[in-house]
mmCIF file with all atom_site columns, all heavy atoms in Angstrom:
data_model
loop_
_atom_site.group_PDB
_atom_site.id
_atom_site.type_symbol
_atom_site.label_atom_id
_atom_site.label_alt_id
_atom_site.label_comp_id
_atom_site.label_asym_id
_atom_site.label_entity_id
_atom_site.label_seq_id
_atom_site.pdbx_PDB_ins_code
_atom_site.Cartn_x
_atom_site.Cartn_y
_atom_site.Cartn_z
_atom_site.occupancy
_atom_site.B_iso_or_equiv
_atom_site.pdbx_formal_charge
_atom_site.auth_seq_id
_atom_site.auth_comp_id
_atom_site.auth_asym_id
_atom_site.auth_atom_id
_atom_site.pdbx_PDB_model_num
ATOM 1  N N   . ALA A 1 40 ? 54.774 -79.022 -35.511 1.00 0.00 ? 65 ALA A N   1
ATOM 2  C CA  . ALA A 1 40 ? 53.355 -79.436 -35.658 1.00 0.00 ? 65 ALA A CA  1
ATOM 3  C C   . ALA A 1 40 ? 52.501 -78.640 -34.668 1.00 0.00 ? 65 ALA A C   1
ATOM 4  O O   . ALA A 1 40 ? 51.362 -78.272 -35.006 1.00 0.00 ? 65 ALA A O   1
ATOM 5  C CB  . ALA A 1 40 ? 53.241 -80.927 -35.391 1.00 0.00 ? 65 ALA A CB  1
ATOM 6  N N   . MET A 1 41 ? 53.017 -78.392 -33.476 1.00 0.00 ? 66 MET A N   1
ATOM 7  C CA  . MET A 1 41 ? 52.247 -77.645 -32.482 1.00 0.00 ? 66 MET A CA  1
ATOM 8  C C   . MET A 1 41 ? 52.013 -76.198 -32.988 1.00 0.00 ? 66 MET A C   1
ATOM 9  O O   . MET A 1 41 ? 51.019 -75.560 -32.652 1.00 0.00 ? 66 MET A O   1
ATOM 10 C CB  . MET A 1 41 ? 52.989 -77.616 -31.162 1.00 0.00 ? 66 MET A CB  1
ATOM 11 C CG  . MET A 1 41 ? 53.077 -78.976 -30.499 1.00 0.00 ? 66 MET A CG  1
ATOM 12 S SD  . MET A 1 41 ? 51.450 -79.653 -30.111 1.00 0.00 ? 66 MET A SD  1
ATOM 13 C CE  . MET A 1 41 ? 50.931 -78.509 -28.803 1.00 0.00 ? 66 MET A CE  1
ATOM 14 N N   . ARG A 1 42 ? 52.918 -75.712 -33.825 1.00 0.00 ? 67 ARG A N   1
ATOM 15 C CA  . ARG A 1 42 ? 52.768 -74.327 -34.321 1.00 0.00 ? 67 ARG A CA  1
ATOM 16 C C   . ARG A 1 42 ? 51.714 -74.231 -35.416 1.00 0.00 ? 67 ARG A C   1
ATOM 17 O O   . ARG A 1 42 ? 51.348 -73.136 -35.794 1.00 0.00 ? 67 ARG A O   1
ATOM 18 C CB  . ARG A 1 42 ? 54.122 -73.840 -34.897 1.00 0.00 ? 67 ARG A CB  1
ATOM 19 C CG  . ARG A 1 42 ? 55.203 -73.701 -33.858 1.00 0.00 ? 67 ARG A CG  1
ATOM 20 C CD  . ARG A 1 42 ? 56.556 -73.492 -34.518 1.00 0.00 ? 67 ARG A CD  1
ATOM 21 N NE  . ARG A 1 42 ? 56.504 -72.307 -35.383 1.00 0.00 ? 67 ARG A NE  1
ATOM 22 C CZ  . ARG A 1 42 ? 57.510 -72.000 -36.226 1.00 0.00 ? 67 ARG A CZ  1
ATOM 23 N NH1 . ARG A 1 42 ? 58.550 -72.765 -36.307 1.00 0.00 ? 67 ARG A NH1 1
ATOM 24 N NH2 . ARG A 1 42 ? 57.418 -70.902 -36.951 1.00 0.00 ? 67 ARG A NH2 1
ATOM 25 N N   . THR A 1 43 ? 51.178 -75.341 -35.883 1.00 0.00 ? 68 THR A N   1
ATOM 26 C CA  . THR A 1 43 ? 50.159 -75.277 -36.943 1.00 0.00 ? 68 THR A CA  1
ATOM 27 C C   . THR A 1 43 ? 48.772 -75.070 -36.380 1.00 0.00 ? 68 THR A C   1
ATOM 28 O O   . THR A 1 43 ? 47.827 -74.937 -37.153 1.00 0.00 ? 68 THR A O   1
ATOM 29 C CB  . THR A 1 43 ? 50.163 -76.604 -37.743 1.00 0.00 ? 68 THR A CB  1
ATOM 30 O OG1 . THR A 1 43 ? 49.672 -77.659 -36.930 1.00 0.00 ? 68 THR A OG1 1
ATOM 31 C CG2 . THR A 1 43 ? 51.519 -76.924 -38.255 1.00 0.00 ? 68 THR A CG2 1
ATOM 32 N N   . ARG A 1 44 ? 48.596 -74.983 -35.086 1.00 0.00 ? 69 ARG A N   1
ATOM 33 C CA  . ARG A 1 44 ? 47.274 -74.975 -34.488 1.00 0.00 ? 69 ARG A CA  1
ATOM 34 C C   . ARG A 1 44 ? 46.424 -73.824 -35.015 1.00 0.00 ? 69 ARG A C   1
ATOM 35 O O   . ARG A 1 44 ? 45.254 -73.998 -35.342 1.00 0.00 ? 69 ARG A O   1
ATOM 36 C CB  . ARG A 1 44 ? 47.406 -74.871 -32.963 1.00 0.00 ? 69 ARG A CB  1
ATOM 37 C CG  . ARG A 1 44 ? 46.048 -74.858 -32.212 1.00 0.00 ? 69 ARG A CG  1
ATOM 38 C CD  . ARG A 1 44 ? 45.350 -76.179 -32.346 1.00 0.00 ? 69 ARG A CD  1
ATOM 39 N NE  . ARG A 1 44 ? 46.096 -77.236 -31.753 1.00 0.00 ? 69 ARG A NE  1
ATOM 40 C CZ  . ARG A 1 44 ? 45.698 -78.492 -31.807 1.00 0.00 ? 69 ARG A CZ  1
ATOM 41 N NH1 . ARG A 1 44 ? 44.591 -78.838 -32.427 1.00 0.00 ? 69 ARG A NH1 1
ATOM 42 N NH2 . ARG A 1 44 ? 46.432 -79.457 -31.242 1.00 0.00 ? 69 ARG A NH2 1
ATOM 43 N N   . HIS A 1 45 ? 46.979 -72.610 -35.083 1.00 0.00 ? 70 HIS A N   1
ATOM 44 C CA  . HIS A 1 45 ? 46.201 -71.453 -35.537 1.00 0.00 ? 70 HIS A CA  1
ATOM 45 C C   . HIS A 1 45 ? 45.778 -71.573 -36.981 1.00 0.00 ? 70 HIS A C   1
ATOM 46 O O   . HIS A 1 45 ? 44.701 -71.149 -37.382 1.00 0.00 ? 70 HIS A O   1
ATOM 47 C CB  . HIS A 1 45 ? 46.948 -70.150 -35.278 1.00 0.00 ? 70 HIS A CB  1
ATOM 48 C CG  . HIS A 1 45 ? 48.143 -69.944 -36.101 1.00 0.00 ? 70 HIS A CG  1
ATOM 49 N ND1 . HIS A 1 45 ? 49.305 -70.634 -35.895 1.00 0.00 ? 70 HIS A ND1 1
ATOM 50 C CD2 . HIS A 1 45 ? 48.321 -69.151 -37.204 1.00 0.00 ? 70 HIS A CD2 1
ATOM 51 C CE1 . HIS A 1 45 ? 50.222 -70.234 -36.787 1.00 0.00 ? 70 HIS A CE1 1
ATOM 52 N NE2 . HIS A 1 45 ? 49.667 -69.351 -37.568 1.00 0.00 ? 70 HIS A NE2 1
ATOM 53 N N   . VAL A 1 46 ? 46.615 -72.188 -37.810 1.00 0.00 ? 71 VAL A N   1
ATOM 54 C CA  . VAL A 1 46 ? 46.284 -72.430 -39.185 1.00 0.00 ? 71 VAL A CA  1
ATOM 55 C C   . VAL A 1 46 ? 45.178 -73.466 -39.273 1.00 0.00 ? 71 VAL A C   1
ATOM 56 O O   . VAL A 1 46 ? 44.226 -73.325 -40.100 1.00 0.00 ? 71 VAL A O   1
ATOM 57 C CB  . VAL A 1 46 ? 47.534 -72.891 -40.017 1.00 0.00 ? 71 VAL A CB  1
ATOM 58 C CG1 . VAL A 1 46 ? 47.143 -73.078 -41.434 1.00 0.00 ? 71 VAL A CG1 1
ATOM 59 C CG2 . VAL A 1 46 ? 48.623 -71.829 -39.904 1.00 0.00 ? 71 VAL A CG2 1
#
Side-chain angles (χ1 to χ4, degrees):
M66 293 298 293
R67 294 170 57 190
T68 68
R69 180 66 63 184
H70 67 285
V71 180

